[in-house]
Amino acid sequence: QVRLVESGGGLVQAGGSLRLSCAASASILSINRIGWYRQAPGKQRALVADITRGGDSSYGDSVKGRFTISRDNAKNTVYLQMNSLKPEDTAVYYCYAYTQFGSWGQGTQVTVSS
């Protein structure tokens, strides 16, 4: 199993940028896929982006062209670079490891002000 810890959340103005980190307790090369999800108040948790062990990435429609997911295998960390942030991006952001049982981090709050 793997433990995930998110960091990098905070308050940012609309149009600004923020980078989130997801640090894993195990080698991310042993995990087939890691994703970023978010959940805003009153809304369902939704996929933001994910990245495979081979480096292939995918994005939710609402963040395409603005967010970039990346990986640093040496640091066992997956990043989410968020640019051109909008107030509707405000949510708790979680990372998730697609392992046998699945592993969620505790989440990090991102708040985008107008």
Side-chain angles (χ1 to χ4, degrees):
Q1 284 301 113
V2 63
R3 178 173 173 267
L4 305 174
V5 179
E6 303 95 333
S7 62
L11 176 65
V12 65
Q13 293 182 336
S17 298
L18 204 62
R19 188 177 75 161
L20 306 183
S21 298
C22 174
S25 63
S27 172
I28 59 175
L29 290 174
S30 68
I31 305 171
N32 288 335
R33 184 155 57 110
I34 298 175
W36 281 100
Y37 290 75
R38 68 186 183 186
Q39 187 165 26
K43 296 185 178 180
Q44 296 181 350
R45 190 170 297 187
L47 175 70
V48 176
D50 60 26
I51 188 166
T52 69
R53 182 168 52 197
D56 297 321
S57 60
S58 61
Y59 299 90
D61 289 340
S62 63
V63 306
K64 288 180 179 177
R66 299 189 297 120
F67 291 9
T68 303
I69 190 169
S70 63
R71 179 185 67 203
D72 188 331
N73 294 330
K75 295 182 178 180
N76 291 327
T77 300
V78 173
Y79 302 98
L80 183 68
Q81 179 67 46
M82 305 184 294
N83 298 325
S84 302
L85 283 163
K86 304 174 181 179
E88 50 263 45
D89 294 319
T90 295
V92 178
Y93 284 70
Y94 302 89
C95 56
Y96 178 77
Y98 295 76
T99 57
Q100 181 179 1
F101 300 104
S103 295
W104 289 100
Q106 292 298 305
T108 185
Q109 175 70 233
V110 172
T111 303
V112 184
S113 63
S114 299

